[in-house]
Amino acid sequence: MNYRAEINVMPLKALLDPQGKAVANSMKNLGIPEIFDVRIGKHITLHLEADDEQSAKEKVESACSKLLANPIMEYYEYKLYSE
Amino acid sequence: MNYRAEINVMPLKALLDPQGKAVANSMKNLGIPEIFDVRIGKHITLHLEADDEQSAKEKVESACSKLLANPIMEYYEYKLYSE
């Protein structure tokens, strides 16, 4: 079966996010001072073939922990859709 | 009211995504050749204050089109949650 995974890799909540901080400051200059607490990470869409949902989850988690996310600085979350 | 927006900024589907392509190739070396068609963009979480949902949507769209997404190369989508 074919699956699609939608993965978010975000900076750990305990860490500062300088990129997000810069965007939050820029919002003031853009005339949208109501926006605050911005955090920026990666969004990854991928497709995969797997026998069942359990096997698909294992592959996605393996991809995240081996390559897509750096566990020192980032956490990941994902949703799996069968297609 | 306080809202939280979860925004994805992704490379346009018509464009190549070299970063995603590189990740898809790396998956083979990692022993997960079942993964294909990887696309990588940004995920942005932000909070904002607005009078109602309509006003919150306008602010988020303004932030996306003015700063977060480059419409020549990227599209954005978002979900809004009241908090």
Side-chain angles (χ1 to χ4, degrees):
Chain A
M1 282 188 64
N2 271 327
Y3 294 89
R4 174 171 52 90
E6 300 280 344
I7 305 166
N8 291 330
V9 178
M10 298 299 289
L12 288 173
K13 292 188 203 296
L15 297 182
L16 290 174
D17 173 19
Q19 198 184 0
K21 187 83 180 158
V23 165
N25 286 338
S26 299
M27 290 300 171
K28 295 193 186 76
N29 303 329
L30 281 177
I32 327 176
E34 301 87 352
I35 289 180
F36 59 98
D37 200 0
V38 181
R39 293 186 79 79
I40 300 184
K42 284 178 287 189
H43 183 75
I44 298 142
T45 304
L46 56 80
H47 294 79
L48 73 162
E49 267 184 43
D51 293 335
D52 53 36
E53 194 170 319
Q54 184 58 34
S55 158
K57 278 187 182 179
E58 282 166 16
K59 287 185 215 293
V60 170
E61 284 179 20
S62 168
C64 286
S65 60
K66 284 184 186 166
L67 183 67
L68 298 172
N70 168 1
I72 309 288
M73 300 178 62
E74 296 167 325
Y75 70 95
Y76 64 86
E77 56 193 13
Y78 65 91
K79 282 186 183 164
L80 206 59
Y81 304 88
S82 69
E83 296 210 312
Chain B
M1 283 186 64
N2 272 327
Y3 295 89
R4 173 170 52 89
E6 300 280 344
I7 303 165
N8 291 329
V9 177
M10 299 299 289
L12 289 173
K13 292 188 202 297
L15 297 182
L16 289 174
D17 173 18
Q19 199 184 358
K21 187 82 181 157
V23 166
N25 285 338
S26 297
M27 291 300 170
K28 294 193 186 77
N29 302 330
L30 280 176
I32 327 175
E34 301 87 353
I35 289 181
F36 60 96
D37 199 1
V38 181
R39 294 186 79 80
I40 300 184
K42 285 178 288 190
H43 183 75
I44 299 143
T45 304
L46 56 81
H47 294 79
L48 74 162
E49 267 184 44
D51 294 335
D52 53 36
E53 195 172 318
Q54 184 57 34
S55 157
K57 277 186 182 179
E58 282 165 17
K59 286 185 218 290
V60 171
E61 285 179 19
S62 170
C64 287
S65 58
K66 285 184 184 165
L67 184 66
L68 299 172
N70 169 2
I72 309 288
M73 299 178 61
E74 296 167 325
Y75 70 95
Y76 64 87
E77 56 194 11
Y78 64 91
K79 283 187 183 165
L80 205 58
Y81 304 89
S82 68
E83 294 209 316

